[in-house]
Amino acid sequence: MVDTTKALVDAIGRAYIGGPFELDVAVSASNAKAPHYYDVTMNGLIRPWSGRVWLNPPYDEITPWVDRAISERHACTAIVALARRAPISHGSMPR
């Protein structure tokens, strides 16, 4: 697995959502991309999401993360999901 650098995540935040991400919902504590995060023991699928959310889900179980992002789209300022090589298209996400 290739880690997404904090510099890239920060650049995405500045370019597309007007600031840094506030919450990383699927991460380990050692590579969190936001000041607030949910690691595997906290289970980001069942915790509240709000603000500017970074999501780089586990690729082997991406569907529940995409479903959650869709259901949270109005509660968050922005949700940016990075899913390289995952079997999903950008057209799957409603506005």
Side-chain angles (χ1 to χ4, degrees), residues 4 9 11 16 25 36 43-44 79 82 90-91 94:
T4 305
V9 173
Y16 295 103
V25 295
H36 304 283
N43 190 355
I79 300 171
L82 181 64
H90 69 280

Side-chain angles (χ1 to χ4, degrees), residues 32-65:
K33 306 301 187 236
H36 304 283
Y37 63 89
Y38 300 140
D39 66 14
V40 69
T41 64
M42 297 176 208
N43 190 355
L45 284 171
I46 63 171
R47 301 280 181 167
W49 294 13
S50 64
R52 294 184 297 266
V53 177
W54 175 256
L55 169 60
N56 188 359
Y59 305 133
D60 58 340
E61 294 189 35
I62 196 168
T63 302
W65 294 98

